[in-house]
Each structure stands twice: as structure tokens, then as C-alpha cells.
Amino acid sequence: MRPTPRESSPRRYLMCPPAHFTVTYSINPWMDPAKPVDLPLALAQWEDLRDRYLTLGHTVELLDPVPELPDMVFAANGATVVGGRVLGARFAHPERAAEAGAHLAWFRRNGWAEADLWAPEHVNEGEGDFAVTASWILAGSGFRSSPLCRAEAQEFFGRPVIGLELVDPRYYHLDTALCVLDEERDEVMYFPDAFSPGSRSVLERLFPDALRATAEDAAALGLNAVSDGLHVLLPQTATGLFDPLRARGFEPVGMDLGELLKGGGSVKCCTQELRP
Ligand code: ARG
């Protein structure tokens, strides 16, 4: 079978430098406040990711880090932008609550019209739990985002929202268990065991040709990846994903975000996509 011809398209990302990143509380199983974080290394790893996006021709917008918000580097959680409309976040844990306002303020300052901004009623942790393909918005819940946010997102974006139930605390956000590889083709990769039996059946029905990750690659947070349609940036330790991605015509780009992994996040968590 010949691999599908792939093409990258220029993306606009919002990122937040980990200037105040540390692990002082634990809201997911990856976070251990007893393990020290090497801040200069975290910054260098984050800069590598940003530079890689720039080298690939993408635009990176920057959000100012706030000293009291150590998880702000995980910019994917702060909002979801589809068709130029911004669904704000509402965090499940008080430690991160103030990030939602910082994101909305950024959008206001950067030219978004009030009519295109929505501060949600129900808990949703942005692109941590929302994934966007051409046909659907996938919405994870079980640990963070409320199932009630699905109706809110569907009404706001006018796109069908498909709910997916997460069942393994290590994969507490949808973007730790599923990655959109090609939105136009509705093509994803995911780790089946992270989902409830019913949600697994939904995934099989919607994405029969999906790339299924092994437990090992999922545990390396290999699904916390970002694709531009051709390049797939993912944790370098998720080695089992590289060949299957190449076989599909993608170019895997291994990244080292080992320090940020101590917060329970990797490539995708650090990257919010601003979809025009
Ligand atoms: N420490 C953060 C939290 O638990 C990590 C968030 C990771 N972000 C993501 N999009 N999965 O909320």
C-alpha cells in the first residue's frame, strides 16, 4: 500500500513560556511535587518546540506567563478556537481557574470581537478535551471537562460534538489519548484502553482506519502530539509510533519535553491552535 501524499498547511499557535513552571500541587498522576523541576531545562525544551514550529513555517503567538499559575505553559487548556470563534475554558481545579481569564484577555487584546468570544458555563479544559476534525468536534470527559460542555460547544461552534469517556487517570485529558493527524481526512491516532467500552465503539465507527497506539507509546505521552498535516511533532520516547506514522506518509519529529512531562503534559498540551 502506497502512503497517502501529505501536505502541511501553515498553522497559528498560541504558546506560553514556562517561566514560572513548577510542580507544587498534584492534579494528575504524573505530577509529583517531591520531584524537582529543572526550570532552565524546561525553558530550553519549550524553546525547541517553539523554534521547530517557526522552522516549519508556522506562526507562534505568545501569552504572558503569570507567576502564580505554574501550569500556564499548558496553553492548550485555555480555550478552543474553531472558525475564528473562541470558546473559553473553565477549569476543574481551583489551582488553574485564573488561566481562563488570562486567555480571554489575550483574545480581546489581539483583535477578537466580543461576539466571537464565549465564557462557558460548564467546565471544559479547552483543547485538552476538545479535538477538532473536519466532520466533528470530539469532546473528552471523565476527569476534567463536564459532559455538559458538549452541548455548549455544539451550540457555540455549530458543529456536531461527539462525547468520549476517558477511564484511565493517566490519560485525564483527551489530548493525552487521541491526536488528530489530518483533520480534512478525519484521521486520528488513539489509545483504545484510555476510553470506556462504549466510546471505543464510537471511535471504531467514526475512525475505522485510525492508527492505534500501544500502551507503551501512550505511556510516553506519544499521543500528546501536534500534526500540521505532514509533520507530526511528538515525544521522542514514543518510538513505536514513528514507523506507523511514516507508513502513512507523515514525517514524525521527535521532541524532548521531559521536564514538562513532570507536569503531565507534552507537545500538544503546550500548543493551542488558533483555527481561522
Ligand atoms: N498539570 C496540568 C494539569 O493537570 C497539565 C495539563 C496538560 N495539558 C493538556 N492539554 N493535557 O492540568
Side-chain angles (χ1 to χ4, degrees):
M1 202 176 71
R2 294 241 308 275
T4 313
R6 305 287 177 177
E7 228 178 273
S8 73
S9 55
R11 310 289 169 127
R12 189 176 177 201
Y13 297 126
L14 177 63
M15 298 179 73
C16 179
H20 311 291
F21 176 62
T22 146
V23 179
T24 50
Y25 53 81
S26 178
I27 54 173
N28 71 55
W30 304 81
M31 299 174 84
D32 178 358
K35 266 197 210 144
V37 167
D38 181 337
L39 187 57
L41 182 56
L43 272 161
Q45 292 173 341
W46 179 91
E47 279 165 10
D48 267 359
L49 178 63
R50 179 205 53 198
D51 291 348
R52 186 61 69 128
Y53 288 136
L54 296 174
T55 307
L56 293 173
H58 304 306
T59 304
V60 176
E61 309 283 354
L62 292 181
L63 184 64
D64 285 335
V66 176
E68 300 76 37
L69 298 172
D71 269 335
M72 213 170 157
V73 57
F74 301 118
N77 300 128
T80 305
V81 184
V82 182
R85 306 202 81 203
V86 182
L87 176 62
R90 179 181 285 267
F91 285 84
H93 296 288
E95 290 90 340
R96 299 196 66 187
E99 293 181 41
H103 277 258
L104 279 181
W106 185 90
F107 286 102
R108 289 199 171 96
R109 269 202 315 278
N110 286 275
W112 265 262
E114 216 46 50
D116 289 325
L117 301 178
W118 186 260
E121 188 181 333
H122 300 291
V123 169
N124 89 66
E125 295 201 346
E127 287 195 305
D129 278 322
F130 286 126
V132 181
T133 77
S135 302
W136 306 288
I137 294 177
L138 309 176
S141 44
F143 297 98
R144 301 290 181 87
S145 300
S146 160
L148 297 172
C149 79
R150 297 168 187 167
E152 209 174 6
Q154 177 162 296
E155 194 55 36
F156 182 68
F157 290 124
R159 294 200 183 199
V161 173
I162 310 282
L164 296 169
E165 230 23 61
L166 296 162
V167 294
D168 181 332
R170 286 175 303 165
Y171 309 113
Y172 56 95
H173 274 144
L174 182 63
D175 73 358
T176 62
L178 180 146
C179 163
V180 177
L181 294 171
D182 183 329
E183 47 284 76
E184 290 317 312
R185 293 188 172 93
D186 289 324
E187 189 173 353
V188 304
M189 58 175 177
Y190 69 94
F191 176 49
D193 291 359
F195 296 91
S196 69
S199 294
R200 249 177 277 156
S201 302
V202 170
L203 287 167
E204 275 158 29
R205 185 174 281 264
L206 295 183
F207 308 106
D209 302 322
L211 168 50
R212 289 168 181 76
T214 62
E216 260 188 328
D217 291 321
L221 272 198
L223 294 161
N224 199 247
V226 169
S227 172
D228 65 12
L230 170 62
H231 312 97
V232 180
L233 283 66
L234 77 169
Q236 62 183 14
T237 48
T239 48
L241 286 170
F242 283 60
D243 281 340
L245 284 169
R246 282 192 197 105
R248 284 168 183 253
F250 293 105
E251 286 180 23
V253 180
M255 303 299 306
D256 180 7
L257 289 172
E259 285 310 294
L260 295 164
L261 196 63
K262 295 175 181 171
S266 192
V267 175
K268 174 58 202 171
C269 298
C270 294
T271 313
Q272 184 187 134
E273 184 165 350
L274 308 177
R275 297 176 189 79

